[in-house]
């Protein structure tokens, strides 16, 4: 079988870095995101990358696209769930719709992806589901009520999945990124910060690759990633 990785939530930053890292390792990489033009451009520039436009807020689309990936590339052995937008408001400012939207992308999407991918993952001797998380999953700051509550739920879901699927040698891991990822928009927002202030997507991708290569006798469930100068 081909080595197939599905990256759910591909954009400039960690998602693109995951695509490039797994492509370098000989994987066929299925890229899922809403932006068709962005995916097509990346498909043209990265060997083994394949665009699968998908709205990760819509479970039916996730199910359909995962089936299309298996048909085109073969069964996935690695799922990288990198979707996780957030609303940064306190509980008074945030609407119920804000809370629901955060839950849908962080929790519902992961559930839909797992359900759709499991029959494919089970075709391999070992497989991986890696979730990109944030420090909000472990601490709820005042102005992160919708995002923090959804990320905490996502973390608990990932832990539940890890305990269920571990005996099947499906490795589920949660990666807590505690820092500001280096992106064009974050550079614009923080123009006075030095380069080493930011989390480098390529370094995150290296860490995620390492998780997928761990021996089953020494699996990591949760991995914290932060720049060396980050206060925590």
């Amino acid at each position: 079988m081909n080595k197939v990785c599905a990256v759910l939530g591909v954009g400039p930053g960690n998602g693109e870095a995951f695509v490039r890292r797994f492509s370098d390792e000989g994987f066929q990489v299925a890229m899922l995101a809403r932006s068709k033009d962005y995916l097509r451009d990346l498909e043209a520039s990265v060997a083994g990358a394949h665009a699968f436009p998908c709205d990760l807020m819509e479970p039916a689309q996730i199910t359909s696209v995962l089936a299309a990936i298996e048909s085109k590339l073969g069964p996935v052995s690695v799922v990288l769930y990198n979707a996780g937008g957030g609303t940064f408001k306190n509980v008074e400012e945030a609407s119920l719709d804000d809370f629901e939207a955060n839950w849908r992308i962080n929790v519902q999407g992961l559930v839909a992806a797992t359900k759709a991918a499991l029959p494919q993952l089970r075709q391999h001797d070992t497989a991986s589901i890696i979730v990109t998380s944030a420090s909000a999953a472990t601490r709820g700051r005042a102005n992160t009520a919708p995002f923090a509550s959804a990320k905490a739920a996502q973390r608990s879901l990932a832990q539940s999945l890890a305990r269920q699927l571990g005996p099947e040698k499906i490795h589920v891991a949660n990666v807590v990124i505690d820092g500001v990822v280096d992106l064009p928009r974050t550079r614009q927002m923080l123009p006075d910060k030095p380069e080493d202030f930011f989390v480098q997507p390529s370094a995150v991708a290296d860490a995620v690759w390492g998780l997928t290569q761990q021996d089953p006798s020494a699996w990591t469930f949760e991995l914290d990633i932060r720049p060396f100068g980050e206060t925590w």
Side-chain angles (χ1 to χ4, degrees), residues 57-223:
M57 299 276 276
E58 300 295 335
Q61 287 192 32
I62 295 174
T63 301
S64 176
V65 168
L66 263 293
I69 291 169
E70 182 175 21
S71 178
K72 180 177 179 179
L73 304 177
V76 299
S77 62
V78 177
V79 172
L80 305 181
Y81 194 81
N82 186 56
T87 303
F88 297 92
K89 299 177 182 178
N90 66 38
V91 73
E92 292 178 292
E93 298 166 342
S95 67
L96 291 177
D97 287 343
D98 288 330
F99 278 90
E100 181 179 359
N102 280 250
W103 179 84
R104 287 177 65 194
I105 191 63
N106 287 286
V107 182
Q108 177 182 270
L110 177 57
V111 171
T114 300
K115 284 179 174 288
L118 271 177
Q120 301 181 43
L121 297 172
R122 286 174 169 144
Q123 296 180 49
H124 300 274
D125 292 336
T126 60
S128 303
I129 301 172
I130 311 296
V131 181
T132 305
S133 188
S135 55
T138 63
R139 61 185 187 217
R141 297 190 184 279
N143 292 316
T144 65
F147 182 60
S149 59
K151 277 297 182 186
Q154 184 189 64
R155 180 180 185 236
S156 286
L157 172 60
Q159 190 174 79
S160 177
L161 293 174
R163 287 173 163 156
Q164 174 195 345
L165 300 174
E168 299 183 50
K169 289 193 176 178
I170 297 175
H171 181 193
V172 181
N174 191 57
V175 178
V176 176
I177 299 178
D178 184 14
V180 180
V181 177
D182 193 0
L183 298 165
R185 61 180 172 80
T186 56
R187 289 284 186 145
Q188 285 186 331
M189 290 167 54
L190 301 166
D192 298 329
K193 295 295 184 182
E195 184 169 347
D196 59 13
F197 169 82
F198 297 93
V199 179
Q200 295 303 317
S202 61
V204 176
D206 287 343
V208 167
W209 168 254
L211 286 173
T212 68
Q213 300 306 298
Q214 287 182 333
D215 187 271
S217 69
W219 274 350
T220 296
F221 166 67
E222 189 156 82
L223 177 67

Side-chain angles (χ1 to χ4, degrees), residues 14-51:
N14 293 331
E16 182 174 330
F18 294 158
V19 171
R20 295 185 181 280
R21 186 67 171 88
F22 279 78
S23 170
D24 288 345
E25 298 294 340
F27 275 74
Q28 299 297 306
V29 184
M31 305 180 295
L32 285 71
R34 285 182 296 181
S35 178
K36 295 180 182 179
D37 291 341
Y38 175 78
L39 292 183
R40 297 298 182 197
D41 289 344
L42 198 55
E43 182 180 52
S45 65
V46 179
H50 305 268

